[in-house]
Amino acid sequence: MSNTTTNVKTFNTDRTKRTIIAALFAAITCVGTMIIKIPTPTLGYIHPGDGFVLLSGLLLGPIWGAFAAGLGSALSDLIGGYFIYVPATFVIKFLTALTCFFAYKAISKLLKTKTELPQLIISGIAGELVMVLGYFLFEIFMLSIVNKTSLSAGVLASIAGIVPNIIQGIFGVIIATVLHPLLSRLTNNL
């Protein structure tokens, strides 16, 4: 067998493996978002799915991880009947995973520690800040444009979602920090 044939088979095997793991992370993110729902006063809910959004970015990298996070989260909105949120959720969770990945890489270069704990926590917080800001801005748009209210009314109504999103983000960071050492073995060879 030639070297070229071996390289093509390795490439196809690696790509297939990466695709399967990304699909699994999308499914886990979707289920994690849907399985435990704590209702909020804004008619939304707090869920553990953000932990898997962060893990998608950390373990699968910027492209595959961001797509898995966005797709899994958007699917949960679609299945759950939150249709108006589907496109926004895809973009927001995509950017959350992407931010987490790049923050982790940048912090890892700056910090030379024996443990990954500081990098995981700080990058998780950076990613979740994107989520909080993303939903805040989307809800201003949705409430003021779609519902045809004033911009100030949209801003005031959107402020109510900040605290529940921060709480969800905190749980996401905790879940990602705890599960990262266990799940990183799964993706080490990608």
Side-chain angles (χ1 to χ4, degrees):
M1 188 180 327
S2 73
N3 216 9
T4 306
T5 306
T6 303
N7 289 340
V8 169
K9 284 183 180 179
T10 302
F11 172 77
N12 288 337
T13 302
D14 291 345
R15 188 174 182 159
T16 301
K17 187 177 180 183
R18 186 177 299 272
T19 302
I20 291 168
I21 292 174
L24 284 171
F25 269 90
I28 290 169
T29 301
C30 180
V31 170
T33 302
M34 295 179 67
I35 198 152
I36 299 173
K37 294 181 183 182
I38 302 167
T40 65
T42 60
L43 302 178
Y45 56 94
I46 296 171
H47 57 80
D50 270 31
F52 298 106
V53 167
L54 298 174
L55 285 166
S56 293
L58 289 167
L59 298 174
L60 298 175
I63 303 301
W64 290 90
F67 272 111
L71 183 61
S73 298
L75 279 173
S76 71
D77 278 351
L78 183 66
I79 294 167
Y82 295 89
F83 303 116
I84 196 163
Y85 280 89
V86 171
T89 292
F90 179 84
V91 171
I92 292 166
K93 300 300 181 160
F94 182 100
L95 293 174
T96 300
L98 194 68
T99 301
C100 184
F101 171 82
F102 284 118
Y104 180 84
K105 291 297 181 186
I107 295 163
S108 293
K109 287 181 183 177
L110 295 173
L111 297 178
K112 303 296 182 201
T113 61
K114 292 181 181 181
T115 177
E116 293 180 307
L117 191 60
Q119 294 93 316
L120 291 170
I121 292 170
I122 295 168
S123 63
I125 291 170
E128 293 301 340
L129 286 175
V130 169
M131 182 270 294
V132 172
L133 180 63
Y135 280 116
F136 176 70
L137 294 173
F138 174 71
E139 288 172 357
I140 290 172
F141 165 78
M142 184 180 68
L143 294 168
S144 60
I145 306 294
V146 175
N147 291 342
K148 298 178 183 169
T149 63
S150 69
L151 184 61
S152 60
V155 171
L156 287 174
S158 297
I159 288 172
I162 291 176
V163 171
N165 283 337
I166 289 173
I167 293 168
Q168 178 176 300
I170 290 168
F171 282 114
V173 172
I174 292 168
I175 290 166
T177 302
V178 169
L179 293 180
H180 183 269
L182 303 170
L183 295 177
S184 62
R185 295 182 196 137
L186 176 69
T187 59
N188 274 344
N189 297 327
L190 294 178

